[in-house]
Amino acid sequence: MAFRLDARDVSGFKFLFSLAIMYGLMSILVHSVIYTKLITPLGIDAPLDRFSEARAIEHVRVLAHEIDGRQEGRQGLREAAEYIKEQLERLKERAGSNFRIEIEENVVAGSFNMMFLGHSISFGYRNHTNILMRISSIDSQETDPSVLMNAHFDSPLGSPGAGDCGSCVASLLEIARLTIDSGWVPPRPIILLFNGAEEVFLLAANGFVRTHKWRESIGAFINVEASGSGGLDLVCQSGPGSWPSSVYAQSAIYPMAHSAAQDVFPVVPGDTDYRMFSEDYGNIPGLDIIFLLGGYYYHTSYDTVDRLVPGSMQARGDNLYSTVKAFAESSKLKNAHERESLGVSDEYDDGQAVFFDYLAWFMIFYSRRMAVVLHSIPIIIFLIMPFFSCFRNSGLWCCFATFYDFVKGMILHTAGMMLAIIFPVIFSVLRLLVSSYGMNWFANPFLAFMMFIPISLVGLLIPRTVFPGLPLSQNVSALKISKEALSEEAGFWGAFGFYASLTLAYLVAGLSGGFLNFFTSVSMLLGWIAFSLSIKFLGHHSVRSTIFYAIPLIPCLTYSVYFGGFLVQFLIEKMGMMGSLPPPYGNYIPDIVVAAIVGVATSWCVGPLIPIFGKWLARSSILQFLLHLSVIALALSSRFFPYSTDAPKRVVLQHTFLTADANRVDSSYDFSVVDSNSLLFLFKYAPEVAKELHIDPEFSFETAKISNQQTFLTLFPVNFLFSRSLKFPARSDEILKQYKQFPYLYTNKPQSTSSDGSRRVHLELSLGSLKEVWVAVLNVTGPLSNWSFADNKLPVPETIEGGPPSYICRLTGASHEKWNFWLEASNSGDLRVDLAVLDQVLVDETKKLKGLFPPWADVTAFSTFSSTYIF
């Protein structure tokens, strides 16, 4: 189809291609920033008074590769603790006489209830190891306010854990070395906590904050985490109050933080040790700093040292060292007793501040009180502008007519912003209607931008194309101003009012992410002033005046590309582990979400230009061109496979053993995936696995045997992310040769009955001869009224797949000792206990099956021993 272009069309395409070049240059800059390409990592021979990424990576190499597996229940976890302690002891030997160095190995145990991923769970734990180092001056006291830095050295199932969280441990080891070698004696003690049980739901941090002698001295903390292999090391949570984020803003060398993350983090599935220190138990001021990119490898076997993003650990180390020094030197650092005596009304806690970094170059920070003033200014300007511009010359009626036109402009801009989101969503659905699978963009993020940015721009421009001139309420002849100029003015102030209203909405909602709307509003105002001055001197709206409008917006647009690009990339990487939703709509969710977020980012990056640039871009020829680009990208996307070794598909393989006694075992393979491409997709493109499982071409979910969520009880509550899991028969003779005893639950003393009719059952749990137990999970149903866990407090009952109310307890901690506990029933009704124990040892047949999967599939495989008891 040929385009017939007039002069206005040619000018429009020139603007379009110029904007493409501008945003392309911005994207190159942003990519360099978020992947720390502008930061030079220091080598192994760097000066001793500098943090060295190369020295830290040597620790990661030992933890992730020389030590075989740091999972709970494996010998490698003990070896990691010994390695960390050995490194700390070496540092202690070379410390100067003005240092006091204390090193402890602390074994923690306890039991408590917690909400995790929206589900209530009880935990019982024992024999989890914490390694601690306290660096202080020779004359320091035990009660001196201290700064805690926390990182966990255990790793998730099936992962070497280089990023999560070998990189965190290595960063702290290098900071300990740097502190001692630099000769800086901290004025307040610094405590380094290397905790050995985070992946089993934050247990080692819980043990420290509830029982350790130093817990009361902590005045501030920094939790170091990783949800990927590098990139931005973002402050995702801070508080209570604004002091921790203020210290970071003033001290970080490469600041990476924005308060909008705190608005979003509570709805993200997952948690960190931050909640133990700052929310659940400690109420300690602190920061939660997390590697967020490289999420493809998070909790997979591909989380290796070679996947770490160069420069990321250097930026993290420089930031951490500078920040911990600032905390230690702050006059606001208080221990628990001092914080309690000060109360909540002093300057220490003034609410959540607003802050954001600009391309990791510098950070803008202002208090909540200041935000109330600043974020109210744009809406005030929007409301008074009609009266300011018309009242002197044309009276009150003209003021109201002008305001009405501004509202029309706001509606027009709002419609464009909404269509910019709706159109990509529609295209994503249409693509899936003719495609055999979704998530083509997962291993190829550029596809998401190619498919959805052009069609998002179409949605953004359509209102301006349909209404090239706003229907005005003002009397054009009386004002002696051209209709085009008035329409342009109403369009601009309407768009300005849109961003001003959102700024106010964030403020009223108590959220901290309104800074982007405020930044946009201020930049648009500066652009309008420049545009108006250029019109005054040039006499008409020209290409030059349009450029004058854009120039003051460039810093804001660059930040929008930074913010939006990071958000889209982060989300794309996380869609591989967000759960598989059931049909008929589950297959559409990831593509719809990514399309919508690309639409949001596009509208935010381009939207501020539309009031002025729309005159040139809102042409039918340009809309057709953009539409053709999207259609071509959609057609090309079908040729791209969703997964690769750089973006693997996550597969769960559980070898399930239903044990009735020592001689009778039923065995099966249970599979699940955690994204929208189902197991049928997996078996179609993994033919060797399908052949091994005897899957024929007619295989379907209707003919297959489905595994329910109860089958994956050891993963509770992560098993709620699974749907349409499948079960296949497996041999059980090999397991009978491998183990002499299976896990077993039995009564160890007669049950007692009280006067009110309740009865207490005393139980003992043996884990048999299992070798690498990660967790044992109890699911108790029936008339349970109390138990010996969590200080005799029951959690909120759960309902699994419509079954009876269940009480879930997870038991962890390597030991040959048996678990002893009691359950109390309110009446004589039966108590049913489902027991599931996860062992990381695989039989040879399971190892063979796992090895048949293609490299683009990352398989987390384990054995689970399940049994049921009635008491």
Side-chain angles (χ1 to χ4, degrees), residues 207-247:
F208 172 83
V209 80
R210 294 179 71 183
T211 64
H212 199 275
K213 63 182 180 180
W214 291 336
R215 71 187 188 279
E216 296 293 334
S217 73
I218 299 170
F221 75 94
I222 302 173
N223 181 57
V224 187
E225 241 315 346
S227 184
S229 59
L232 291 180
D233 195 28
L234 197 71
V235 175
C236 292
Q237 300 182 92
S238 68
S242 62
W243 175 60
S245 52
S246 173
V247 170

Short mmCIF file of all heavy atoms in Angstrom, two decimals, residues 207-247:
data_model
loop_
_atom_site.label_atom_id
_atom_site.label_comp_id
_atom_site.label_asym_id
_atom_site.label_seq_id
_atom_site.Cartn_x
_atom_site.Cartn_y
_atom_site.Cartn_z
N GLY A 207 15.72 -15.59 64.21
CA GLY A 207 16.43 -16.06 65.39
C GLY A 207 17.34 -14.99 65.96
O GLY A 207 17.43 -14.82 67.19
N PHE A 208 18.01 -14.23 65.08
CA PHE A 208 18.89 -13.17 65.56
C PHE A 208 18.11 -12.06 66.25
O PHE A 208 18.44 -11.64 67.38
CB PHE A 208 19.69 -12.58 64.40
CG PHE A 208 20.48 -11.36 64.77
CD1 PHE A 208 21.72 -11.47 65.37
CD2 PHE A 208 19.96 -10.09 64.56
CE1 PHE A 208 22.44 -10.34 65.74
CE2 PHE A 208 20.66 -8.95 64.93
CZ PHE A 208 21.90 -9.08 65.52
N VAL A 209 17.07 -11.56 65.61
CA VAL A 209 16.39 -10.38 66.13
C VAL A 209 15.57 -10.71 67.38
O VAL A 209 15.23 -9.82 68.16
CB VAL A 209 15.50 -9.76 65.02
CG1 VAL A 209 14.18 -10.51 64.86
CG2 VAL A 209 15.26 -8.29 65.28
N ARG A 210 15.31 -11.99 67.63
CA ARG A 210 14.54 -12.35 68.82
C ARG A 210 15.42 -12.76 70.00
O ARG A 210 14.97 -12.67 71.15
CB ARG A 210 13.57 -13.50 68.49
CG ARG A 210 12.48 -13.13 67.51
CD ARG A 210 11.58 -14.30 67.21
NE ARG A 210 10.72 -14.65 68.33
CZ ARG A 210 9.87 -15.67 68.33
NH1 ARG A 210 9.78 -16.46 67.26
NH2 ARG A 210 9.13 -15.91 69.38
N THR A 211 16.65 -13.20 69.72
CA THR A 211 17.40 -13.81 70.81
C THR A 211 18.81 -13.28 71.03
O THR A 211 19.36 -13.47 72.12
CB THR A 211 17.51 -15.34 70.58
OG1 THR A 211 18.27 -15.60 69.39
CG2 THR A 211 16.13 -15.97 70.44
N HIS A 212 19.43 -12.62 70.05
CA HIS A 212 20.84 -12.31 70.19
C HIS A 212 21.07 -11.13 71.14
O HIS A 212 20.30 -10.18 71.18
CB HIS A 212 21.49 -12.02 68.83
CG HIS A 212 22.98 -12.14 68.86
ND1 HIS A 212 23.80 -11.10 69.24
CD2 HIS A 212 23.79 -13.19 68.57
CE1 HIS A 212 25.06 -11.50 69.18
NE2 HIS A 212 25.09 -12.77 68.77
N LYS A 213 22.18 -11.17 71.84
CA LYS A 213 22.49 -10.15 72.85
C LYS A 213 22.73 -8.77 72.23
O LYS A 213 22.58 -7.74 72.91
CB LYS A 213 23.72 -10.57 73.65
CG LYS A 213 25.00 -10.69 72.82
CD LYS A 213 26.18 -11.15 73.66
CE LYS A 213 27.45 -11.28 72.82
NZ LYS A 213 28.60 -11.74 73.62
N TRP A 214 23.11 -8.72 70.95
CA TRP A 214 23.39 -7.44 70.31
C TRP A 214 22.15 -6.79 69.70
O TRP A 214 22.23 -5.67 69.20
CB TRP A 214 24.44 -7.60 69.22
CG TRP A 214 25.81 -7.93 69.75
CD1 TRP A 214 26.29 -7.66 71.00
CD2 TRP A 214 26.87 -8.58 69.04
NE1 TRP A 214 27.58 -8.11 71.12
CE2 TRP A 214 27.97 -8.67 69.93
CE3 TRP A 214 27.02 -9.08 67.76
CZ2 TRP A 214 29.18 -9.25 69.57
CZ3 TRP A 214 28.22 -9.66 67.40
CH2 TRP A 214 29.29 -9.74 68.28
N ARG A 215 21.03 -7.49 69.69
CA ARG A 215 19.86 -6.99 68.96
C ARG A 215 19.37 -5.64 69.49
O ARG A 215 18.91 -4.80 68.73
CB ARG A 215 18.74 -8.02 69.01
CG ARG A 215 18.07 -8.20 70.36
CD ARG A 215 17.08 -9.36 70.35
NE ARG A 215 16.29 -9.44 71.57
CZ ARG A 215 16.71 -9.98 72.70
NH1 ARG A 215 17.94 -10.50 72.76
NH2 ARG A 215 15.94 -10.01 73.77
N GLU A 216 19.47 -5.44 70.81
CA GLU A 216 18.96 -4.20 71.40
C GLU A 216 19.85 -3.00 71.08
O GLU A 216 19.43 -1.86 71.21
CB GLU A 216 18.84 -4.34 72.92
CG GLU A 216 17.84 -5.40 73.37
CD GLU A 216 16.41 -5.00 73.04
OE1 GLU A 216 16.14 -3.79 72.93
OE2 GLU A 216 15.57 -5.90 72.85
N SER A 217 21.08 -3.26 70.67
CA SER A 217 22.00 -2.15 70.40
C SER A 217 21.85 -1.59 68.99
O SER A 217 22.38 -0.52 68.69
CB SER A 217 23.45 -2.62 70.61
OG SER A 217 23.86 -3.47 69.54
N ILE A 218 21.15 -2.29 68.13
CA ILE A 218 21.11 -1.90 66.72
C ILE A 218 20.30 -0.62 66.54
O ILE A 218 19.14 -0.54 66.93
CB ILE A 218 20.53 -3.03 65.85
CG1 ILE A 218 21.40 -4.28 65.97
CG2 ILE A 218 20.44 -2.60 64.40
CD1 ILE A 218 20.80 -5.51 65.36
N GLY A 219 20.94 0.38 65.94
CA GLY A 219 20.27 1.65 65.70
C GLY A 219 19.87 1.86 64.25
O GLY A 219 19.02 2.71 63.95
N ALA A 220 20.46 1.10 63.35
CA ALA A 220 20.11 1.15 61.93
C ALA A 220 20.62 -0.12 61.28
O ALA A 220 21.54 -0.76 61.78
CB ALA A 220 20.71 2.38 61.25
N PHE A 221 20.01 -0.50 60.16
CA PHE A 221 20.46 -1.71 59.48
C PHE A 221 20.36 -1.51 57.97
O PHE A 221 19.61 -0.67 57.46
CB PHE A 221 19.65 -2.94 59.91
CG PHE A 221 18.27 -3.01 59.31
CD1 PHE A 221 18.04 -3.71 58.13
CD2 PHE A 221 17.21 -2.35 59.91
CE1 PHE A 221 16.77 -3.76 57.57
CE2 PHE A 221 15.93 -2.39 59.36
CZ PHE A 221 15.71 -3.10 58.18
N ILE A 222 21.16 -2.31 57.26
CA ILE A 222 21.09 -2.38 55.80
C ILE A 222 20.96 -3.85 55.44
O ILE A 222 21.85 -4.65 55.76
CB ILE A 222 22.34 -1.80 55.13
CG1 ILE A 222 22.55 -0.34 55.55
CG2 ILE A 222 22.21 -1.89 53.61
CD1 ILE A 222 23.86 0.24 55.05
N ASN A 223 19.84 -4.21 54.83
CA ASN A 223 19.67 -5.59 54.35
C ASN A 223 20.07 -5.64 52.88
O ASN A 223 19.57 -4.88 52.06
CB ASN A 223 18.21 -6.04 54.50
CG ASN A 223 18.02 -7.46 54.03
OD1 ASN A 223 18.68 -8.37 54.53
ND2 ASN A 223 17.13 -7.68 53.08
N VAL A 224 21.01 -6.53 52.57
CA VAL A 224 21.53 -6.65 51.21
C VAL A 224 20.96 -7.91 50.59
O VAL A 224 21.12 -9.01 51.13
CB VAL A 224 23.08 -6.69 51.21
CG1 VAL A 224 23.62 -6.63 49.80
CG2 VAL A 224 23.64 -5.54 52.04
N GLU A 225 20.28 -7.76 49.45
CA GLU A 225 19.58 -8.88 48.82
C GLU A 225 19.83 -8.87 47.32
O GLU A 225 20.40 -7.93 46.77
CB GLU A 225 18.08 -8.78 49.07
CG GLU A 225 17.40 -9.87 49.82
CD GLU A 225 17.70 -11.29 49.49
OE1 GLU A 225 18.30 -11.57 48.43
OE2 GLU A 225 17.33 -12.16 50.28
N ALA A 226 19.39 -9.94 46.67
CA ALA A 226 19.50 -10.03 45.21
C ALA A 226 18.29 -10.77 44.67
O ALA A 226 17.95 -11.86 45.14
CB ALA A 226 20.79 -10.75 44.81
N SER A 227 17.64 -10.16 43.69
CA SER A 227 16.56 -10.80 42.96
C SER A 227 16.98 -10.99 41.51
O SER A 227 16.15 -11.10 40.62
CB SER A 227 15.29 -9.95 43.05
OG SER A 227 14.20 -10.60 42.43
N GLY A 228 18.27 -11.01 41.31
CA GLY A 228 18.84 -11.15 39.99
C GLY A 228 20.35 -11.15 40.07
O GLY A 228 20.93 -11.33 41.15
N SER A 229 20.98 -10.88 38.96
CA SER A 229 22.44 -10.99 38.90
C SER A 229 23.15 -9.65 38.86
O SER A 229 24.36 -9.60 38.66
CB SER A 229 22.84 -11.81 37.67
OG SER A 229 22.34 -11.19 36.50
N GLY A 230 22.42 -8.55 39.02
CA GLY A 230 23.09 -7.27 39.04
C GLY A 230 22.21 -6.16 38.53
O GLY A 230 21.00 -6.14 38.74
N GLY A 231 22.83 -5.21 37.83
CA GLY A 231 22.10 -4.02 37.39
C GLY A 231 21.90 -3.07 38.55
O GLY A 231 22.73 -2.99 39.46
N LEU A 232 20.78 -2.38 38.52
CA LEU A 232 20.50 -1.42 39.58
C LEU A 232 20.39 -2.12 40.93
O LEU A 232 19.67 -3.11 41.08
CB LEU A 232 19.19 -0.68 39.29
CG LEU A 232 19.19 0.29 38.12
CD1 LEU A 232 17.83 0.94 37.98
CD2 LEU A 232 20.26 1.35 38.28
N ASP A 233 21.11 -1.59 41.91
CA ASP A 233 21.05 -2.09 43.29
C ASP A 233 20.11 -1.16 44.05
O ASP A 233 20.53 -0.26 44.77
CB ASP A 233 22.46 -2.07 43.90
CG ASP A 233 22.54 -2.90 45.16
OD1 ASP A 233 21.76 -3.85 45.30
OD2 ASP A 233 23.39 -2.58 46.01
N LEU A 234 18.83 -1.40 43.89
CA LEU A 234 17.81 -0.41 44.24
C LEU A 234 17.40 -0.49 45.70
O LEU A 234 17.24 -1.58 46.26
CB LEU A 234 16.57 -0.63 43.37
CG LEU A 234 15.57 0.53 43.31
CD1 LEU A 234 16.14 1.68 42.51
CD2 LEU A 234 14.26 0.06 42.69
N VAL A 235 17.22 0.68 46.32
CA VAL A 235 16.60 0.74 47.64
C VAL A 235 15.11 0.51 47.43
O VAL A 235 14.38 1.38 46.96
CB VAL A 235 16.84 2.11 48.31
CG1 VAL A 235 16.08 2.19 49.63
CG2 VAL A 235 18.33 2.32 48.56
N CYS A 236 14.64 -0.68 47.78
CA CYS A 236 13.23 -1.04 47.56
C CYS A 236 12.34 -0.73 48.76
O CYS A 236 11.13 -0.56 48.60
CB CYS A 236 13.12 -2.53 47.22
SG CYS A 236 13.83 -2.93 45.62
N GLN A 237 12.92 -0.71 49.95
CA GLN A 237 12.17 -0.38 51.15
C GLN A 237 13.07 0.43 52.08
O GLN A 237 14.28 0.18 52.14
CB GLN A 237 11.70 -1.65 51.87
CG GLN A 237 10.79 -2.55 51.06
CD GLN A 237 10.33 -3.75 51.86
OE1 GLN A 237 9.29 -3.75 52.51
NE2 GLN A 237 11.10 -4.82 51.81
N SER A 238 12.48 1.36 52.79
CA SER A 238 13.21 2.10 53.81
C SER A 238 12.23 2.55 54.88
O SER A 238 11.05 2.74 54.61
CB SER A 238 13.92 3.32 53.21
OG SER A 238 12.99 4.29 52.78
N GLY A 239 12.74 2.71 56.08
CA GLY A 239 11.88 3.13 57.18
C GLY A 239 12.27 2.41 58.45
O GLY A 239 13.24 1.65 58.48
N PRO A 240 11.52 2.60 59.54
CA PRO A 240 10.41 3.55 59.65
C PRO A 240 10.92 4.99 59.55
O PRO A 240 12.05 5.29 59.93
CB PRO A 240 9.84 3.27 61.03
CG PRO A 240 10.50 2.04 61.53
CD PRO A 240 11.75 1.86 60.78
N GLY A 241 10.06 5.89 59.07
CA GLY A 241 10.42 7.28 58.92
C GLY A 241 11.32 7.51 57.73
O GLY A 241 11.60 6.62 56.93
N SER A 242 11.78 8.74 57.59
CA SER A 242 12.56 9.14 56.42
C SER A 242 14.05 9.18 56.69
O SER A 242 14.84 9.41 55.76
CB SER A 242 12.10 10.52 55.96
OG SER A 242 12.33 11.49 56.97
N TRP A 243 14.47 8.97 57.93
CA TRP A 243 15.89 9.10 58.24
C TRP A 243 16.78 8.14 57.45
O TRP A 243 17.80 8.57 56.88
CB TRP A 243 16.13 8.93 59.75
CG TRP A 243 17.57 8.95 60.13
CD1 TRP A 243 18.47 9.95 59.93
CD2 TRP A 243 18.29 7.88 60.77
NE1 TRP A 243 19.71 9.58 60.41
CE2 TRP A 243 19.63 8.32 60.93
CE3 TRP A 243 17.93 6.62 61.22
CZ2 TRP A 243 20.60 7.51 61.52
CZ3 TRP A 243 18.89 5.81 61.81
CH2 TRP A 243 20.21 6.26 61.96
N PRO A 244 16.44 6.83 57.34
CA PRO A 244 17.33 5.93 56.59
C PRO A 244 17.51 6.36 55.13
O PRO A 244 18.63 6.36 54.62
CB PRO A 244 16.63 4.57 56.69
CG PRO A 244 15.78 4.67 57.92
CD PRO A 244 15.32 6.09 57.98
N SER A 245 16.42 6.73 54.46
CA SER A 245 16.54 7.15 53.07
C SER A 245 17.29 8.48 52.95
O SER A 245 17.99 8.72 51.96
CB SER A 245 15.16 7.25 52.42
OG SER A 245 14.28 8.04 53.19
N SER A 246 17.17 9.34 53.96
CA SER A 246 17.90 10.61 53.96
C SER A 246 19.41 10.35 54.05
O SER A 246 20.21 10.98 53.34
CB SER A 246 17.44 11.48 55.12
OG SER A 246 18.24 12.64 55.24
N VAL A 247 19.81 9.43 54.92
CA VAL A 247 21.23 9.08 55.05
C VAL A 247 21.75 8.53 53.73
O VAL A 247 22.84 8.91 53.26
CB VAL A 247 21.43 8.07 56.19
CG1 VAL A 247 22.85 7.52 56.18
CG2 VAL A 247 21.11 8.70 57.53
#
